[in-house]
Amino acid sequence: MVAFGKKLKERQIQEWQGYYINYKLMKKRVKQYGHQIEVGTLDRRHVLKDFSRMLDCQIEKIVLFLLEQQGLLAGRIAKLNEDQDALQQEPDIAKLSQLRENYRDVGRDLLKLLFFVEINAVGLRKILKKFDKRFGYRFTDYYVKTRANHPYSQLQQVFKHVGLGAVVGAISRNLHELQEHQGSFLSIYDQPVLPLQDSVVDAMKAAVDRLSHSTNFLNFLAQHALIMQEELPTPTEEVVDDKRYHFMSLILNLANTFLYMINTYIIVPTADDYSMSLGAPATVCGIVIGSMAVAQVFSSVYFSAWSNRSYFRPLVFSSIALLIGNVMYAMAYDSKSITILLLGRLFCGLGSARAVNRRYISDCVPLKIRMQASAGFVSASALGMACGPAIAGLLQTEFKIYKFTFNQNTLPGWVMAVGWFFYMIWLCISFREPSRPTQETRADPQTSDEPARNDALEKGLQQPLLPSTEANQDDEDCGSDDESDDSRGPANSIRSAYRLLTPSVKVQLLIYFMLKYAMEILLSESSVVTTYYFGWSTSSVAIFLACLGLTVLPVNIVVGSYISNMFEDRQILLASEIMVFVGILLSFHILVPYSVPQYVCSGLIMFVSAEVLEGVNLSLLSRVMSSRLSQGTYNGGLLSTEAGTLARVVADVTITMAGYLGQKTLLNVTLLPSLIICITSILATCFTYNSLY
C-alpha cells in the first residue's frame, strides 16, 4: 500500500511545497529516536523535548505561511470591495458579472488554502499517532493540551481556522449581494438560512465544515451506518456527478431499509405462539426469527456484487423475494407446516438489500448531503425496528376469508406482503438507474482547460481529504514509498478482505458481534421469557419491544451531540461495553424471584448500552479499517454486516438449542454465552486500547 508520505507529496500544491509539514523527516526522526533509546544513547525526556520542539517549528512554519496567504486574500477582497462600491454609483452589468467572477477566483484560491490546512492537519495527527504507537506514550494528549490551551497557541490556527472563516464570510456576503436580487435590502446576516446558489461558496462551506472536528448528531448517525468513504482525493479528482443523484431513488432506498427492518421485527412478539400453533416448541421461535438472518449471510454477498452493475434490478428482486417470503409465512398457518414457515423467512432473508442501500448512498449521493443520507439510513432502520413490534401489537384480531386465516400470527405476513407489493410498484414507477462512470468520461487534469480545473477543484475539495481509514495506515507508512499502486485494488474475496484486517479491526468486529448477539438474545427470546415468568400477552411484548426501539434515536442524539464532545470515542467504547456487561449480569435469574422491574431495567440497560456501543464502535471501525475495504464487493460495510448477521444467527440457534433444556433454564443458559463474549471483548479492548483512535 502506498505510504502516507508519498500521498502527501503527490497532493501538495507545487508552489507551496516548502511550507507543508515535513512528514518524511519527522517519520525518520521517530525511527532514529527508537534506535537511540534501544542502544541507550538517548533518554526519553530528551526525546519528548526534542520532538516537541520539532513539532513547534513545523506548526510555526505552517501558521506563518497561512497568515501570509490570508493577508493576501484579504487584500484582494478589500480591492474588490472598492470596485463594488464604485459600481454601486454607476452600475454596469458586464463589470458586475466580471466582479462576481473575480470574487469566485478568490474563493477558488481560498479552497486551495483550505486544502493546504487540511492536509497539514492530517499529517500532524498521523505523526502524533505514530509517535504514541512507537513509544507507548500519551504524548498526543500532552502536546495538544499544552499547545491548544495556551493564549498564544499556533495549533489553534491549524485546527480552529478562525481567520479562514472570516474570509469565507466576506466572499459569501459579497457574492450574495452581487446575485440577481438587486433592490433587496436583506443580507446573509439578516437571513442566515437564505440559500446562495454558488458552487464556490458551497465548496468553501463544505471544506470548512470538514475541518471542524467536533462531533455532532448527524456525524454520529452517519458513522453508525458505516458507509465507507473512498481514498484520499486530489484537488482535480472527479467526484460523484450530481446528475447521478436522484432524490426519489434515495427515498426508495431508505424506504427499502425501513420496510425490511419492520419485516425483521414484526414477527418477534408472535413467533413463539406461531411455532406452538404448528406443533413445535415455543423456543423454535429462535430458528424462525434467525432463519431470515441465515439467508442474509449469503444475500449480502450477492447483493453487494450485483450493486457493481445495477441498483434497480437488485431492489426489484429484493421486493419480489420479500413478497413471496411473506406470503409463504402467512400461508404456513393454514398448511400446518413449520417447513413452509421457515422457507418463508428464508425467502425474506434472501431479499435483504441493505448492502445495495448502503452502496447507493456511498456511490450516488453527492458528498454535500451524504452525511444526511447516511443519518437517514440509520434513522430509517431505527424507526423500522420500533414500528415492527408496534404494528404486531395492533394486529390482535382473527377472521377468515375463503380458506385463509387472518390472525395475530398470519397478519404480519399478509401486511408485509401488501407493503412490498405497493413498494415494488412505486419502485418501478419512480426509481431512476444512475449512469455508470466510464473511463472515457474522466477528464485528464493535465489536458483540460482552466475552467474545468477550477470546477474540479471546487468539487474535489468538498470530498473528505482524510479517508475514514486514516488510522489503519500508520503501520503501512513504515513500508516503501515506492510500492506499486496496483496493490491498492479492492479485496476480491472474503479471504483477501480478512487478510486486510488489523488486530484493532478484528477487536472492533468482535465487539460488533458481541453487541448484536446480546441484542438478538434479548429481543428474540423476549416473548418466551415474559410469557413464562410474567404471563405477558402479545400486546405487552409488542409495547416493550417498541419502547426499546424508540430509544435508539434519542440515545444517539445524546451521545452524538453531548457525550462524544466530552469524552474520547475509545473511552465511551469501553464504558459502553462495561454497561452491557452490567445489563447482562442483572438479567440472570439467580436465587430471588424474577420480577418485571428486574427484567425491564436490565433489558433497557443492555439495549441502550449496546446501541451506544454500536455507534461508537462503527465510528472507530471506519477509521481503522483498510482503505482498500472502501471499494468493491467485499467492502467494510459487507464485513460488518456479515459479522452482525452471524451473531444474530448464532444467538437464534442458541435460543432454540437451549429450549431443549426447558423454559425454566432458557434465560440463564442463553445469557451465559453473552456474558462470556462480553468479557472477552472487554479484555480485547483493554489490550488494544491505545490503538483505538
Side-chain angles (χ1 to χ4, degrees), residues 2-47:
V2 180
F4 175 77
K6 183 176 180 180
K7 291 190 289 182
L8 176 65
K9 187 175 181 180
E10 289 173 350
R11 285 150 178 79
Q12 289 178 357
I13 298 171
Q14 294 303 313
E15 58 267 29
W16 294 353
Q17 266 193 341
Y19 302 100
Y20 285 89
I21 184 172
N22 196 333
Y23 182 81
K24 188 174 182 179
L25 173 65
M26 300 189 77
K27 188 176 74 171
K28 184 178 179 181
R29 187 63 60 89
V30 169
K31 291 182 181 179
Q32 289 176 351
Y33 289 149
H35 176 70
Q36 290 171 334
I37 288 176
E38 286 175 4
V39 299
T41 58
L42 204 64
D43 61 33
R44 299 194 173 201
R45 178 175 293 183
H46 182 79
V47 168

Side-chain angles (χ1 to χ4, degrees), residues 518 577-592 594 598-599 601-603 605-607 667-668 670-676 678-679 682:
E577 284 183 274
I578 294 172
M579 290 306 299
V580 171
F581 170 78
V582 170
I584 295 172
L585 206 59
L586 292 175
S587 298
F588 278 91
H589 178 206
I590 302 175
L591 300 178
V592 298
Y594 207 54
Q598 180 185 352
Y599 178 76
C601 292
S602 60
I605 291 171
M606 188 197 309
F607 187 83
L667 181 66
N668 288 347
T670 53
L671 286 175
L672 188 59
S674 300
L675 189 68
I676 295 172
C678 187
I679 292 172
I682 291 173

